[in-house]
């Protein structure tokens, strides 16, 4: 088990220390620029026209680098060339239940239950190490101050897939309540020679109840309890098509993938308390507990060997001309459980015109992993017959505990401000492995200091900030070298905001002494790759982000516009090679990082009618596959269009077309073949508000 060097009494002292302050964290000018230019209001009319449950384009509009994904999969992301240490947060709390023990776990919330999402590029030191390289922050739907309010959404596409959901909430005196439900159902016909339905269903529930302070209370305070539940079941795995078959029919899959599936279930409990000690001092404390279970089956082996291009060609040939002897296949299965608990507190004290933020967090989480395999016979009629029971390849438990604290001071001198912060985090991790499995146990701890300084100038509509920070993220239990990911980060940000126009430019340099890499996009991961984390010794990431947002308003119509452009050069200073992740030369672009990404949203609103387009461009992904060369993913555009007609102020109908130009968009290109993103799909929907 993990070492826990900090006792509960010490944690309590830290919490009490932090509780001397805090309403909202003292915001740096860099953070305010991010909130202006990397922020997306999911409930604004230009965005609700799309009624996304999840969308790579919407996330891309915040400035995050989104990676191609297949239909019904969670959006994967990285930021400025790195995935570890980039956190997905909701209401200031980790959305992943085990960010320390489950680095390979990617989860995104249902956007229909969120009100906004913001990307922070240079995060504050109060966010801790798991968000020190960036964070995507969701704000969940808020309880309406009205006595009764709600919304309802239902849509169906030309494949007869449907989504239906709603939110009801209200406030009576000092109490408020919210209930949100959503259900999604989709079916794709993916059989290459034999008809096969690939089903995907998801159900989401969110419940909130709040209470304000009683009349006459000495100090105002609010308490909120929230619960979230989500379950997901999809039939799409990692097995794809050969180049020739993909060119012929990219939407299909071989019948060898008939057993592929993923089942997940999630529970999240949060108790949030805010106490207003005075006009200049507030304390906010959160207690949270989360669980997540995941069952995955992927057809990954032929005659006991991991699928490569040659074996994939054999699968393709058997699909066309099956033999009486059949083909021996094997599946990789995962049965994983994640859980995390934490308590955190933040505060802001005003000392004249200066602000000081205190923060403390104790977090502990666990990942119980069971990775195994099962043998299958692919019969002449292309059916699959199990020929063995599931056999465990690796069974292990990762434990992690972390204590972090930080002090951040913003000193204001007229138009100038100086922000100085210092964070500290201590992380203990362990891995317990049964004797019969060929994995290395671990039990170690590490700590890191995270200093940060910003000098900023603001005058009128202009603001500029120069920031330097030491970012640090502890190694996982699967890191055999036990080396933390560290980087010196430098950034210059300039922004202009006035009326309906906002412009921003950010230039940055991140110098890594050590960068973490694990099972990620572009890899076919055996159980060893899933269990291990490796290090790239020297990486330099430089780039520039540009953003623009404005709204032109005329007598009879308006034209909103929002655009983000990113150029990222992420290069290794020396060559890198490993048995798990393949090889690439020094001074070469990290092959899973696109150099360019561009996203925009624009359209026209005329009276009760609006027509909006959203688009995402991503340049070539040069990944050549682990252990064998394959072609890169070419640059690609994805364009969605939505037209909305407001029948009344409360009722509207809309038409949404995804992948408007019916492009063949690659979701993944690995040693197990190519998979496509969805083809052109049209949705007809209805939205009501009351």
């Amino acid at each position: 088990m993990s070492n826990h060097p900090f006792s509960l009494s010490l944690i309590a002292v830290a919490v009490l220390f932090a509780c001397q302050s805090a309403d909202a964290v003292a915001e740096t000018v860099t953070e305010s620029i991010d909130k202006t230019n990397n922020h997306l209001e999911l409930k604004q009319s230009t965005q609700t026209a799309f009624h996304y449950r999840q969308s790579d384009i919407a996330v891309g509009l915040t400035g995050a680098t989104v990676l191609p994904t297949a239909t019904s999969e969670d959006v994967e992301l990285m930021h400025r060339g790195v995935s570890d240490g980039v956190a997905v947060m909701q209401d200031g709390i980790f959305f992943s239940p085990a960010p320390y023990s489950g680095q390979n776990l990617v989860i995104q919330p249902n956007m229909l239950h969120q009100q906004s999402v913001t990307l922070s590029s240079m995060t504050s030191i109060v966010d801790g190490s798991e968000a020190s390289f960036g964070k995507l922050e969701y704000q969940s739907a808020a309880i309406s101050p009205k006595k009764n309010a709600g919304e309802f959404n239902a849509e169906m596409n030309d494949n007869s897939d449907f989504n239906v959901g709603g939110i009801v909430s209200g406030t009576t005196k000092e109490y408020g309540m919210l209930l949100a439900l959503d259900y999604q159902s989709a079916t794709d016909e993916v059989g290459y020679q034999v008809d096969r339905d690939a089903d995907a269903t998801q159900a989401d529930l969110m419940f909130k109840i709040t209470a304000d302070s009683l009349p006459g209370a000495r100090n105002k305070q609010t308490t909120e309890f929230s619960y979230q539940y989500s379950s997901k079941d999809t039939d799409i795995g990692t097995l794809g098509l050969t180049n020739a078959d993909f060119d012929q029919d990219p939407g299909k899959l071989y019948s060898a993938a008939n057993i592929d599936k993923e089942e997940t279930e999630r529970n999240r409990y949060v108790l949030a308390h805010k106490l207003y000690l005075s006009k200049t001092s507030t304390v906010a404390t959160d207690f949270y507990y989360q669980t997540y279970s995941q069952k995955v089956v992927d057809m990954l082996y032929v005659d006991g060997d991991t699928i490569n291009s040659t074996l994939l060609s054999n699968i393709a040939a058997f699909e066309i001309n099956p033999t009486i002897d059949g083909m021996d296949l094997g599946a990789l299965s995962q049965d994983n459980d994640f859980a995390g608990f934490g308590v955190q507190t933040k505060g802001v004290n005003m000392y004249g015109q200066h602000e000081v933020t205190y923060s403390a967090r104790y977090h502990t989480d666990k990942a119980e992993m069971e990775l195994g395999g099962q043998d299958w016979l692919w019969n002449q009629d292309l059916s699959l017959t199990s020929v063995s029971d599931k056999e465990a390849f690796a069974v292990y438990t990762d434990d992690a505990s972390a204590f972090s604290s930080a002090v951040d001071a913003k000193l204001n001198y007229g138009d100038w401000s100086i922000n100085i912060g210092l964070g500290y985090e201590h992380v203990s991790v362990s891995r317990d492995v049964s004797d019969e499995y060929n994995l290395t146990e671990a039990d170690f701890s590490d700590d890191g200091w995270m200093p940060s300084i910003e000098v900023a100038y603001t005058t009128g509509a202009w603001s500029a900030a120069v920031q330097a920070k030491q970012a640090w993220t502890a190694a996982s239990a699967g890191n055999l070298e036990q080396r933390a990911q560290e980087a010196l980060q430098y950034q210059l940000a300039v922004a202009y905001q006035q009326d309906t126009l906002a412009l921003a430019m950010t230039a940055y340099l991140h110098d890594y002494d050590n960068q973490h890499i694990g099972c990620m996009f572009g890899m076919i991961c055996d159980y060893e790759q899933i269990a291990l984390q490796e290090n790239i010794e020297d990486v330099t990431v430089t780039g520039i982000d540009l953003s623009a947002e404005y709204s032109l308003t005329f007598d009879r119509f308006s034209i909103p516009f929002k655009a983000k452009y990113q150029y990222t050069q992420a290069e290794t200073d020396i060559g890198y090679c490993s048995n798990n992740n393949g090889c690439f030369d020094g001074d070469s672009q990290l092959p899973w990082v696109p150099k360019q990404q561009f996203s925009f949203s624009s359209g026209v609103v005329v009276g009760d009618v609006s027509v909006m387009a959203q688009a995402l461009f991503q340049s070539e992904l040069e990944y050549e596959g682990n252990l064998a060369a394959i072609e890169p993913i070419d640059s690609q555009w994805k364009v969605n269009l939505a037209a909305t007609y407001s029948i009344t102020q409360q009722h509207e109908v809309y038409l949404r077309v995804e992948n408007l130009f019916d492009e063949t968009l690659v979701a993944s290109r690995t040693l197990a073949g190519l998979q496509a993103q969805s083809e052109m799909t049209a949705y007809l929907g209805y939205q009501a508000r009351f």
Side-chain angles (χ1 to χ4, degrees):
M1 298 296 292
S2 305
N3 293 327
H4 297 272
F6 295 91
S7 66
L8 291 177
S9 59
L10 182 56
I11 297 166
V13 170
V15 170
L16 288 174
F17 170 74
C19 285
Q20 299 304 311
S21 50
D23 179 25
V25 176
E27 188 176 272
T28 66
V29 173
T30 299
E31 289 175 309
S32 67
I33 291 174
D34 280 344
K35 286 188 176 180
T36 300
N37 297 280
N38 298 349
H39 179 81
L40 189 64
E41 282 290 339
L42 299 174
K43 299 300 183 182
Q44 66 185 10
S45 58
T46 55
Q47 177 63 32
T48 56
F50 293 91
H51 299 285
Y52 291 134
R53 267 67 179 177
Q54 190 167 126
S55 168
D56 51 359
I57 298 182
V59 174
L61 284 168
T62 69
T65 302
V66 292
L67 298 174
T69 55
T71 306
S72 303
E73 289 188 358
D74 280 324
V75 174
E76 296 189 46
L77 62 92
M78 66 172 61
H79 188 51
R80 295 180 174 177
V82 66
S83 56
D84 195 22
V86 180
V88 177
M89 313 281 283
Q90 181 182 260
D91 301 333
I93 297 170
F94 294 127
F95 196 73
S96 171
Y100 293 85
S101 297
Q103 281 83 359
N104 300 327
L105 188 62
V106 178
I107 311 174
Q108 297 284 344
N110 186 330
M111 283 188 170
L112 207 66
H113 291 173
Q114 316 303 312
Q115 57 181 333
S116 67
V117 56
T118 306
L119 177 76
S120 295
S121 298
M122 290 278 281
T123 56
S124 168
I125 49 91
V126 302
D127 292 317
S129 71
E130 285 303 308
S132 61
F133 294 91
K135 69 172 181 177
L136 192 67
E137 173 82 27
Y138 289 88
Q139 291 295 323
S140 63
I143 297 175
S144 173
K146 300 178 181 179
K147 186 175 182 180
N148 294 296
E151 58 185 67
F152 172 79
N153 174 256
E155 60 182 25
M156 178 176 289
N157 67 19
D158 49 359
N159 293 324
S160 298
D161 305 334
F162 68 92
N163 306 317
V164 58
I167 301 175
V168 293
S169 67
T171 300
T172 303
K173 294 183 179 180
E174 61 270 7
Y175 299 102
M177 189 176 297
L178 177 146
L179 177 64
L181 299 170
D182 190 60
Y183 181 78
Q184 306 166 52
S185 177
T187 300
D188 287 328
E189 296 181 358
V190 297
Y192 199 79
Q193 292 291 333
V194 177
D195 289 339
R196 176 198 168 204
D197 287 338
D199 298 325
T201 59
Q202 180 170 334
D204 292 281
L205 178 150
M206 180 171 66
F207 172 76
K208 290 183 179 183
I209 185 169
T210 62
D212 290 334
S213 51
L214 296 174
R218 182 175 180 179
N219 296 104
K220 181 183 177 182
Q221 55 186 305
T222 60
T223 304
E224 178 179 280
F225 170 78
S226 64
Y227 168 71
Q228 287 179 262
Y229 171 83
S230 179
S231 67
K232 185 176 180 179
D233 189 349
T234 64
D235 290 344
I236 299 294
T238 57
L239 185 63
L241 302 175
T242 64
N243 289 351
D245 289 343
F246 186 85
D247 291 339
Q248 180 178 336
D249 199 341
K252 301 298 184 180
L253 294 175
Y254 300 125
S255 58
N258 270 344
I259 64 163
D260 286 357
K261 66 177 181 178
E262 180 178 13
E263 298 176 5
T264 65
E265 187 173 77
R266 167 184 179 78
N267 291 276
R268 187 175 193 260
Y269 308 84
V270 176
L271 180 64
H273 180 263
K274 184 176 288 186
L275 175 64
Y276 299 83
L277 297 175
S278 68
K279 293 181 179 180
T280 60
S281 181
T282 312
V283 54
T285 305
D286 303 315
F287 298 85
Y288 59 90
Y289 174 69
Q290 307 180 69
T291 64
Y292 183 81
S293 63
Q294 178 188 54
K295 292 179 172 60
V296 182
V297 178
D298 282 322
M299 193 63 78
L300 195 60
Y301 307 103
V302 177
D303 293 324
D305 295 326
T306 305
I307 288 176
N308 54 35
S309 56
T310 300
L311 296 177
L312 184 65
S313 296
N314 294 342
I315 287 178
F318 186 88
E319 180 93 8
I320 297 173
N321 295 304
T323 63
I324 191 171
D325 294 331
M327 178 178 280
D328 293 325
L329 304 175
L332 177 68
S333 64
Q334 300 184 53
D335 191 350
N336 307 324
D337 289 288
F338 304 87
F341 165 78
V343 55
Q344 62 185 30
T345 184
K346 291 182 181 179
V348 174
N349 262 358
M350 295 294 299
Y351 299 96
Q353 62 183 351
H354 309 304
E355 298 174 80
V356 179
T357 301
Y358 306 93
S359 71
R361 176 194 288 137
Y362 173 77
H363 176 91
T364 181
D365 61 46
K366 176 185 290 188
E368 296 179 335
M369 312 286 287
E370 181 179 323
L371 312 177
Q374 188 173 7
D375 294 329
W376 294 82
L377 178 63
W378 201 12
N379 300 301
Q380 188 176 15
D381 62 357
L382 299 181
S383 63
L384 286 162
T385 303
S386 173
V387 295
S388 74
D389 295 330
K390 186 173 70 174
E391 176 187 3
F393 294 156
V395 178
Y396 61 94
T397 299
D398 287 353
D399 278 285
S401 63
F403 174 80
S404 61
S405 60
V407 178
D408 196 49
K410 184 180 181 183
L411 310 177
N412 299 302
Y413 302 98
D415 293 338
W416 290 89
S417 65
I418 301 174
N419 209 97
I420 302 174
L422 181 62
Y424 170 80
E425 184 157 333
H426 186 285
V427 180
S428 295
V429 297
S430 70
R431 171 169 290 179
D432 292 333
V433 183
S434 301
D435 294 337
E436 61 268 28
Y437 303 114
N438 187 28
L439 288 176
T440 302
E441 293 194 339
D443 192 353
F444 65 92
S445 60
D446 199 359
D447 54 16
W449 292 91
M450 291 164 280
S452 176
I453 184 170
E454 177 203 75
V455 178
Y457 179 76
T458 302
T459 179
W462 289 94
S463 59
V466 178
Q467 186 178 9
K469 188 179 90 172
Q470 170 74 36
W472 180 91
T473 299
S476 75
N479 192 308
L480 299 182
E481 299 179 21
Q482 300 179 4
R483 295 174 57 194
Q485 177 176 270
E486 298 180 85
L488 284 172
Q489 300 178 325
Y490 307 94
Q491 177 173 285
L492 167 65
V494 179
Y496 174 86
Q497 182 182 14
Q498 188 171 32
D499 299 328
T500 59
L501 174 64
L503 302 171
M505 183 279 295
T506 301
Y508 59 88
L509 165 65
H510 296 178
D511 184 12
Y512 289 83
D513 288 333
N514 184 53
Q515 188 178 100
H516 291 159
I517 177 175
C519 177
M520 59 184 295
F521 172 83
M523 300 178 186
I524 287 299
C525 299
D526 203 343
Y527 69 95
E528 289 184 332
Q529 286 95 327
I530 294 172
L532 298 180
Q533 182 185 73
E534 295 190 347
N535 312 296
I536 307 177
E537 185 175 349
D538 291 303
V539 176
T540 301
V541 182
T542 57
I544 186 168
D545 297 342
L546 302 173
S547 66
E549 183 174 4
Y550 72 90
S551 179
L552 290 175
T553 303
F554 301 93
D555 291 339
R556 297 184 178 181
F557 67 95
S558 61
I559 302 175
F561 178 83
K562 182 180 180 68
K564 300 284 297 185
Y565 172 77
Q566 303 157 242
Y567 177 83
T568 304
Q569 182 173 292
E571 295 184 346
T572 57
D573 297 335
I574 59 177
Y576 169 81
C577 201
S578 81
N579 290 331
N580 293 331
N581 299 317
C583 303
F584 42 89
D585 297 330
D587 298 323
S588 63
Q589 179 83 354
L590 293 180
W592 50 84
V593 181
K595 279 193 174 182
Q596 298 184 76
Q597 180 175 295
F598 175 67
S599 58
F600 78 84
S601 174
S602 186
V604 61
V605 180
V606 183
D608 296 328
V609 178
S610 69
V611 179
M612 295 293 300
Q614 290 187 343
L616 176 68
F617 167 80
Q618 200 166 78
S619 62
E620 181 181 80
L621 283 166
E622 300 175 357
Y623 195 71
E624 295 183 350
N626 42 329
L627 307 183
I630 56 177
E631 298 175 11
I633 294 180
D634 294 334
S635 60
Q636 52 189 18
W637 275 98
K638 182 177 183 179
V639 181
N640 295 350
L641 184 72
T644 301
Y645 172 66
S646 297
I647 303 171
T648 66
Q649 190 174 2
Q650 290 77 32
H651 305 278
E652 66 181 28
V653 292
Y654 61 90
L655 174 68
R656 181 175 79 251
V657 182
E658 299 184 356
N659 190 6
L660 178 66
F661 301 115
D662 202 18
E663 296 285 338
T664 299
L665 304 174
V666 177
S668 64
R669 184 192 291 270
T670 68
L671 297 179
L674 286 88
Q675 284 192 6
Q677 301 182 50
S678 61
E679 59 185 1
M680 183 176 68
T681 306
Y683 287 83
L684 182 64
Y686 165 75
Q687 176 84 7
R689 300 178 184 88
F690 55 89

